[in-house]
Amino acid sequence: MSNNNTSEIKIQIELDENRIPEKLSWAAVEGGVNLEEAKAFMLSVWNSDEKTTKCIELWTKDMSVEEMKIFFHQTLLSMTETFQRATGDEKMSATMQDFCDYFAEKLELKLK
């Protein structure tokens, strides 16, 4: 059910016989994405009443450790950018960026 005042994001998870994710796909039709395959996703949802964050993290069994390290680095970078836009806190954003740089250096990530 969709109208002009709603938007929908779908996540499809195909599991093996042990209920381990084999394939992840997602769709956001309004954003032009129709069942695009992914190897991992993280979803965080803020519950304002409880003042807690609920999280779902899934990745396929064929995702390499190297890919996971890069995924985490890029997620941290994205969170840093979002934090800066949401709060305007330049000082903490710079500190978070420094940590992202440190994270990449310590993991010896090959960044493009």
Side-chain angles (χ1 to χ4, degrees):
M1 232 178 351
S2 177
N3 63 40
N4 292 340
N5 296 321
T6 65
S7 183
E8 187 172 79
I9 299 170
K10 293 182 182 183
I11 299 168
Q12 183 175 310
I13 305 153
E14 293 181 28
L15 305 171
D16 69 9
E17 63 278 355
N18 297 312
R19 303 196 52 78
I20 304 296
E22 277 192 315
K23 185 177 177 184
L24 302 172
S25 302
W26 69 288
V29 177
E30 189 174 294
V33 179
N34 189 19
L35 284 183
E36 183 175 301
E37 196 166 327
K39 283 193 172 184
F41 82 86
M42 294 184 192
L43 174 67
S44 298
V45 180
W46 176 250
N47 182 313
S48 184
D49 293 335
E50 296 177 9
K51 303 289 189 246
T52 59
T53 301
K54 312 287 182 167
C55 299
I56 299 171
E57 299 95 2
L58 289 175
W59 57 92
T60 60
K61 59 186 179 183
D62 69 335
M63 185 168 188
S64 72
V65 171
E66 188 63 24
E67 287 176 311
M68 184 59 80
K69 291 176 181 180
I70 294 167
F71 176 59
F72 262 82
H73 180 253
Q74 290 180 2
T75 300
L76 290 169
L77 286 170
S78 178
M79 290 173 65
T80 298
E81 292 169 11
T82 301
F83 180 83
Q84 198 285 319
R85 282 194 320 272
T87 66
D89 188 330
E90 297 288 339
K91 186 175 180 182
M92 183 52 71
S93 297
T95 300
M96 292 170 71
Q97 181 63 53
D98 288 344
F99 175 75
C100 291
D101 295 344
Y102 174 81
F103 185 92
E105 178 185 324
K106 288 299 179 185
L107 290 178
E108 299 177 350
L109 296 181
K110 309 286 188 273
L111 305 176
K112 294 177 183 176

